[in-house]
Amino acid sequence: MDPVTDFPERFVAGVRLFWRRREDERELTVASVRPHGPRLLVRFDGVDDPEAARELSGGDLSVPETEAVPPPEDFYYGHRIAGWRCLDTAGRVLGKVAGLERAGGASLLSIATGGKEPVSVPFTRPIVVSVDASNETIVLDPPEGLMDL
C-alpha cells in the first residue's frame, strides 16, 4: 500500500482499520507489516490468498475517528478542515477547503473557488496567516495571481 499519512508508525500488527471503495466498506485487522521501498506490504487477518488481496485493490484505509492520533500543534487533518472558509487578509471569501493533499513532501490546501478546478495553495506560512478552528476559518495571504490559476 502507499501510505498517505503523517503517522506511518501506526501500521503495526493488531491495528484495526476501515477499508472503503465507493459503497463497499469493511473492517480489517493488520496481521503483519513491513516496508517495501516507499510502500508498505501489509497482511490482514482473513485475507489469505492473492485473490482476496486483489479485492482490496483501489480502496482507502482509515482509522476510526476515535483512534486517530491527536494532531500536534499547527497540524490539521484534511478531512477535518474540508468545508472550512478561506478568507484573504482583508476578510474577502476566497472559497472553501476542498481537501488537503500531499505533493512532494509538502501539504497543499485545495480550495474550491467556484471555478472549474480547485486552486492548490501551499499550506505553509507566510501564505497561511492564521487558522481558526473554532470558526472553521483559514486566513490566507496568497501571492498575486495564485488564486487565478
Side-chain angles (χ1 to χ4, degrees):
M1 74 174 205
D2 293 312
V4 285
T5 177
D6 289 299
F7 308 102
E9 65 275 5
R10 289 193 57 117
F11 295 104
V12 295
V15 167
R16 184 174 60 119
L17 301 171
F18 288 105
W19 172 88
R20 288 180 188 90
R21 183 179 57 217
R22 293 182 285 285
E23 300 84 34
D24 297 331
E25 181 178 314
R26 67 190 264 199
E27 186 175 323
L28 298 169
T29 301
V30 174
S32 65
V33 63
R34 66 184 170 94
H36 182 72
R39 295 180 171 175
L40 297 175
L41 295 177
V42 180
R43 188 172 60 82
F44 296 105
D45 289 341
V47 181
D48 300 320
D49 57 54
E51 290 78 29
R54 270 193 281 285
E55 289 178 17
L56 300 175
S57 180
D60 292 317
L61 291 169
S62 62
V63 297
E65 185 73 27
T66 57
E67 296 175 24
V69 172
E73 188 176 338
D74 288 336
F75 180 93
Y76 300 91
Y77 287 114
H79 70 280
R80 290 191 180 156
I81 64 172
W84 287 19
R85 290 182 316 136
C86 292
L87 309 173
D88 66 13
T89 55
R92 291 182 295 260
V93 175
L94 298 172
K96 288 192 179 252
V97 176
L100 188 61
E101 303 162 2
R102 300 284 294 176
S107 294
L108 295 174
L109 195 60
S110 180
I111 303 172
T113 62
K116 290 182 182 177
E117 298 291 324
V119 175
S120 294
V121 174
F123 196 52
T124 185
R125 297 193 193 287
I127 295 172
V128 176
V129 175
S130 66
V131 178
D132 182 350
S134 62
N135 289 314
E136 298 185 348
T137 302
I138 299 172
V139 176
L140 303 171
D141 187 15
E144 190 167 330
L146 179 62
M147 299 304 296
D148 300 324
L149 296 176

